[in-house]
Amino acid sequence: MKLYSGILLMLLCVGIIVVAGCTSQAPAPQVNATVPPENSVPATTNATPVTTPTTVPTTRATVAVVKTTPVPEADATDPGRIKFVRYTDSDFSIDIPPAWNSNRSTYTPYFCANTLEPGSSAYKICYRNETRLVGPFNFYDDDDLKKERRIVTFTSADGKIKLVAFTADFFDGLNGMVTINPTNEWSQKQFEQNYPDMTGYAPTYVGNYQFFASGNTLTSLYDVTMTRGTKYYPVAYTKKSVITPHHVYTFAWITDGDNFVKYDYLKDFQLASITINNA
């Protein structure tokens, strides 16, 4: 009986051990990484963060455009350096630099007696104020000429030179009867007609008189150079007069005293280029 009890006890112990080995689980392996609890902030790592590129707006430079007015160049003093253009109308033709401006107009004179007023030492100026700056021409009424006078004004690009053409027509009964006195005294008389209160100064200011005759055409030229600062206009000019049987043409090449000599070759070239189209 004791034997069975011991065997039974031993079997019971072995059964307990077997049952205990079958029902137990192996322990979980150890993990070195620490799992952060929920809602915790992750630890910073050495990995390079991926960033979204930010577009920086560029500033476009504004360049201010400054418009400048070109200064007109003066005409060359040497005519050989100028490519002239030919101006032509029914009265005359002339060579002018291409940058020059031209303007045509007409003028009808009014009566004016070129004499001393009674009781006054002042001369009457025999042309209107609006024609005073046109040129050295006689704008008073002339019994030999028809009323309308044709005027063409050429102006250099820089405004330093002006060339004015003045044309008038003889009355039909005077065709071929008007002439030029081929003397220096005639040119001085012309000067005094333009500047009535300058009588006696003509020998000082008028010079270089020239006279030409070709067929039925008579031509005269003379220079006028007055003192700088004088009140009269123009101060310096060369006047060319051409008389044909039917018309009188007068050309004045005008500048100031400083440029009168400077542009001497240009002046001579232009005045020599004149041809009369309606004799």
Side-chain angles (χ1 to χ4, degrees), residues 15-162:
I16 293 172
I17 293 172
V18 172
V19 171
C22 292
T23 58
S24 64
Q25 295 180 354
Q30 296 292 324
V31 179
N32 294 329
T34 302
V35 179
E38 187 177 359
N39 297 330
S40 64
V41 179
T44 303
T45 64
N46 294 328
T48 303
V50 178
T51 59
T52 302
T54 302
T55 302
V56 179
T58 59
T59 302
R60 179 176 295 177
T62 302
V63 180
V65 178
V66 180
K67 294 183 178 180
T68 58
T69 302
V71 178
E73 295 184 2
D75 289 302
T77 57
D78 179 8
R81 296 175 54 194
I82 302 175
K83 294 182 178 179
F84 290 91
V85 295
R86 190 72 173 168
Y87 169 87
T88 300
D89 62 23
S90 59
D91 291 316
F92 69 94
S93 300
I94 188 174
D95 289 339
I96 61 172
W100 281 29
N101 299 313
S102 63
N103 179 61
R104 291 177 56 88
S105 60
T106 59
Y107 172 72
T108 301
Y110 63 99
F111 176 77
C112 176
N114 190 12
T115 59
L116 284 171
E117 293 183 358
S120 173
S121 60
Y123 280 94
K124 285 185 177 179
I125 303 300
C126 294
Y127 46 88
R128 295 176 178 173
N129 290 333
E130 63 267 25
T131 62
R132 182 173 57 87
L133 299 180
V134 173
F137 309 111
N138 298 328
F139 290 104
Y140 56 83
D141 196 14
D142 192 326
D143 293 336
D144 296 339
L145 301 174
K146 296 179 180 179
K147 291 291 185 180
E148 184 180 272
R149 318 294 167 82
R150 298 178 293 281
I151 301 172
V152 183
T153 302
F154 304 96
T155 308
S156 64
D158 60 2
K160 293 182 178 180
I161 303 171
K162 186 168 75 170

Side-chain angles (χ1 to χ4, degrees), residues 184-226:
N184 190 39
E185 287 73 18
W186 180 86
S187 63
Q188 294 178 8
K189 287 293 184 181
Q190 293 293 305
F191 171 80
E192 292 176 355
Q193 284 183 342
N194 296 140
Y195 309 97
D197 54 349
M198 295 288 285
T199 300
Y201 290 92
T204 303
Y205 298 141
V206 180
N208 194 29
Y209 175 79
Q210 303 174 59
F211 174 80
F212 309 96
S214 176
N216 58 5
T217 300
L218 305 175
T219 304
S220 72
L221 288 96
Y222 62 86
D223 297 337
V224 172
T225 52
M226 288 188 280

